[in-house]
Amino acid sequence: MNTRYRMWLQQDGDPPHYARLVRNFLNDRFPNRWIGRGGPIAWSPRSPDLTPLDFYLWGYLNDTVYRERPTTANDMRISIENACANIPRNVLIRTVEHFQQRLQLCLQVGEATFEHLLP
């Protein structure tokens, strides 16, 4: 593994992700570097998906990386690195602005759902 990059894994609280087998694997593969239910860094099982990673980045990267399907693991890694390095500045600014809107809506509705209120 390239020591220049320290990969972290983030997952939600979905029951299959909480299985002991999965947590043991993650503890071995990503020691103290995974975020999730039962992990070294806790993640709520009922997360409102407020983070820009959840509501935007994963979809953007998926679309960008799979524009031309990688054929090898190395192609995939290079494609992901290039996609991350080349996210346009205006896209990042809009994502932060949208994040702020989501936080405000979350505060306004308390524990209620707010996805239907988004533009």
Side-chain angles (χ1 to χ4, degrees):
M1 181 173 147
N2 186 341
T3 57
R4 187 170 154 213
Y5 301 103
R6 301 246 12 188
M7 183 180 291
W8 282 71
L9 179 83
Q10 176 186 346
Q11 61 180 15
D12 58 22
D14 195 34
H17 300 163
Y18 185 64
R20 184 177 308 278
L21 179 70
V22 172
R23 288 180 285 143
N24 288 343
F25 171 81
L26 294 174
N27 285 330
D28 289 341
R29 183 73 173 103
F30 300 98
N32 296 314
R33 294 190 329 270
W34 69 275
I35 303 163
R37 184 174 166 214
I41 299 175
W43 186 257
S44 170
R46 290 179 182 78
S47 165
D49 292 338
L50 287 172
T51 70
L53 294 175
D54 287 325
F55 72 76
Y56 177 75
L57 185 64
W58 300 141
Y60 174 85
L61 288 176
N62 186 63
D63 292 345
T64 304
V65 167
Y66 283 102
R67 232 176 253 142
E68 291 184 30
R69 284 209 176 268
T71 56
T72 67
N74 193 52
D75 285 346
M76 174 69 86
R77 182 183 56 78
I78 290 169
S79 185
I80 292 169
E81 288 175 358
N82 287 339
C84 290
N86 292 305
I87 298 172
R89 177 178 166 74
N90 65 323
V91 168
L92 294 174
I93 290 169
R94 281 195 325 263
T95 302
V96 170
E97 290 168 351
H98 191 75
F99 177 54
Q100 292 169 336
Q101 289 175 330
R102 293 172 80 90
L103 289 174
Q104 286 300 318
L105 283 171
C106 186
L107 291 171
Q108 288 172 16
V109 300
E111 294 182 18
T113 302
F114 64 86
E115 293 291 329
H116 65 285
L117 301 172
L118 292 167

